[in-house]
Amino acid sequence: MSTKKKTNQNTSSASSAKPWEHAKSGAGSAHDPLAARFVESISYDTRMYKQDIIGSVAHATMLAEVGLITKKELAQIKRGLNEIKKEIDEQGQSWPGWKVELEDVHMCVEAALIAKVGDAGRKLHTGRSRNDQVALDLKLWIEDAAADLDKQFTALFKAFVGLAKRDGKIVMPSYTHLQRAQPICVGGELVAWLSALERCQQRITALRAVNKQNPLGSGAIAGSGLPLDRSITAGLLPVGPATPNSIDGTASRDAALDMVYSLAMISQTLSRLAEQWIIYMSEEFGFLKIGEAYTTGSSMMPQKRNPDMLELIRGRCGNVYGNLVAMLTMVKGTPIAYNRDLQEDKRHLFAAFDMVADCLEMTTRIVKSAKFQEKRINERLHRGFLDATALADYLVTRNVPFRTAHQVVGALVRECEAQNLDQLSDLKLEDFNKACINSGQKADTCDAEVYAWLGPANVVKRYQSYGNSGLSGFTQQIKVWEKRLKK
Ligand code: ARG
């Protein structure tokens, strides 16, 4: 089932009476065009038509099984809904059944059904309200959206694994506080993104499980005096057993909120990746190049290649956060029932989904096009004393307590600076031992083996703790990822 947006909204067709206007003594909202426009959700909820029809078929099937409609009426309803689905599949937003006066997707589909099959169509809404109907449609839509996102995650994971397999062994500096820290493999950092994105995917899986309850049959708020069998509809739809309470069933927007929060977390992760790569693409770093299709020029400065796509991935995160805050705020003031405020949920859910889906796709393409610049990274790899921590580890293997080792290496770094040396490996063996003596250690603490612990290339080979970002850690993790993605 598709969750994609269709454009070209036609909301201005001929007027149609709302089925509840007869309850009013004077003029209904249909008589004021502003009121009609103000209350509608047809301009954004038509994308749930498939879910709406699936829910209606399940409801009608149940009505027939419990004897509230006949088999013949069920057949008419199914035929009518099937035709409507085909028409909308083909005509999209220009389907003549979309009428702004009817407010929303639910009323438009129902009105079209009644026009096709008459009284059988007038029975479809038996024991149902738009309140449980829209709650169900939303859950079905979220299920489909989650499945779409799953596919996108797989493509993105594959892109990262591909990049790690090609460039993963390149040794690079890692940064904390954006200051040089310890040497790592490019692949180590790529696995970091994979780990963060995997949690994003798991959040989606988790929200599906938490929200697996079917609100259909809750009615407007209190349930129904008719002999509805909610287990039948629940059995026909992929969103779990019947909600145990009709009020919560219609009042809750938890599934939508969980989805928008999860989307915000995806967006946050992609934004962070974008920021990191924008830095890596600067002249100052020069660690990374991405496909030219994903950079743009300047209208004034002829030499420019700007990482606009990455900047937009970073910038759009703000919109998704906005959707999340808007939804949280919208729900917090509603008494526990359906209130029209809740209609706005779809605006934010759909906007957040569209934006994140686009960003995921764009990120996948950028990752596929990315090339780490080994030569450039190497040019300054000897700077920043990246192997200082490794030297402290070496001293630990020579029986020096770590705090003392830390002191010794600190003194050695200062010694390098005093002698104008770039690297710890430029020091003589006697320099190492002199520093050890100064910290109360034996004169033969260090031997020539110390040099095998120094230099970024040696360091990344030595990491052995599980999950390390050096050679052994990332190659082990990439194997796990390859296996996972083969399934
Ligand atoms: N379009 C509405 C929504 O999305 C449907 C529910 C309207 N229910 C009502 N009782 N007014 O929330």
Side-chain angles (χ1 to χ4, degrees), residues 145-433:
D148 285 355
L149 288 170
D150 249 355
K151 275 187 219 135
Q152 288 200 287
F153 275 121
T154 304
L156 180 55
F157 294 158
K158 282 185 177 160
F160 267 115
V161 170
L163 181 58
K165 286 194 75 179
R166 196 195 60 215
D167 291 351
K169 287 188 179 152
I170 297 172
V171 181
M172 73 185 286
S174 66
Y175 295 82
T176 63
H177 313 265
L178 207 54
Q179 304 295 315
R180 289 203 164 200
Q182 292 175 277
I184 55 167
C185 286
V186 162
E189 190 170 284
L190 295 177
V191 170
W193 295 118
L194 279 167
S195 302
L197 288 164
E198 185 187 23
R199 279 193 303 281
C200 287
Q201 186 189 34
Q202 287 166 346
R203 239 170 249 124
I204 305 280
T205 308
L207 81 86
R208 282 166 110 163
V210 168
N211 292 292
K212 261 210 179 326
Q213 281 187 339
N214 189 332
L216 188 60
S218 299
I221 178 165
S224 173
L226 295 168
L228 307 182
D229 186 342
R230 297 188 62 200
S231 69
I232 295 176
T233 39
L236 291 171
L237 296 163
V239 286
T243 49
N245 176 272
S246 62
I247 301 177
D248 179 59
T250 52
S252 169
R253 287 298 177 271
D254 291 9
L257 275 161
D258 286 350
M259 179 53 116
V260 177
Y261 167 70
S262 304
L263 291 167
M265 288 296 285
I266 298 170
S267 201
Q268 177 260 123
T269 307
L270 297 182
S271 175
R272 219 171 162 180
L273 168 73
E275 167 69 0
Q276 180 116 31
W277 281 20
I278 289 166
I279 292 171
Y280 284 173
M281 284 170 69
S282 66
E283 179 57 37
E284 284 65 24
F285 274 76
F287 285 9
L288 183 73
K289 282 193 178 147
I290 62 170
E292 296 231 318
Y294 310 117
T295 63
T296 62
S298 152
S299 59
M300 183 170 177
M301 300 170 281
Q303 86 288 10
K304 289 283 268 180
R305 251 184 253 131
N306 295 323
D308 297 48
M309 312 298 151
L310 289 168
E311 291 168 281
L312 286 168
I313 289 167
R314 187 178 59 188
R316 285 178 183 163
C317 181
N319 296 46
V320 182
Y321 286 3
N323 295 133
L324 177 60
V325 173
M327 271 198 73
L328 285 166
T329 311
M330 176 197 84
V331 172
K332 84 171 181 65
T334 54
I336 190 148
Y338 178 83
N339 299 267
R340 199 59 178 254
D341 320 37
L342 298 183
Q343 175 164 286
E344 299 285 306
D345 57 359
K346 286 170 285 300
R347 267 186 218 283
H348 303 298
L349 175 64
F350 297 161
F353 174 81
D354 289 341
M355 199 149 276
V356 171
D358 255 11
C359 289
L360 276 168
E361 177 62 34
M362 182 50 68
T363 306
T364 303
R365 292 181 192 203
I366 291 174
V367 171
K368 273 190 190 160
S369 77
K371 284 194 174 77
F372 278 85
Q373 304 297 300
E374 184 166 20
K375 196 165 153 264
R376 185 60 199 275
I377 295 171
N378 257 326
E379 276 165 19
R380 291 182 62 81
L381 199 57
H382 61 288
R383 303 288 306 187
F385 302 101
L386 291 165
D387 48 7
T389 310
L391 177 55
D393 287 347
Y394 165 75
L395 292 171
V396 167
T397 69
R398 306 292 293 178
N399 255 335
V400 180
F402 180 76
R403 278 283 156 242
T404 309
H406 189 282
Q407 225 170 32
V408 169
V409 179
L412 286 166
V413 168
R414 285 194 299 280
E415 181 62 26
C416 281
E417 284 163 348
Q419 293 186 36
N420 235 335
L421 302 173
D422 280 347
Q423 308 183 74
L424 289 161
S425 57
D426 294 337
L427 291 166
K428 295 195 195 75
L429 187 55
E430 60 209 64
D431 295 319
F432 292 107
N433 278 323

Side-chain angles (χ1 to χ4, degrees), residues 432-449:
F432 292 107
N433 278 323
K434 221 190 281 162
C436 288
I437 294 165
N438 289 343
S439 287
Q441 303 300 305
K442 287 194 228 136
D444 61 349
T445 302
C446 299
D447 60 16
E449 204 211 323

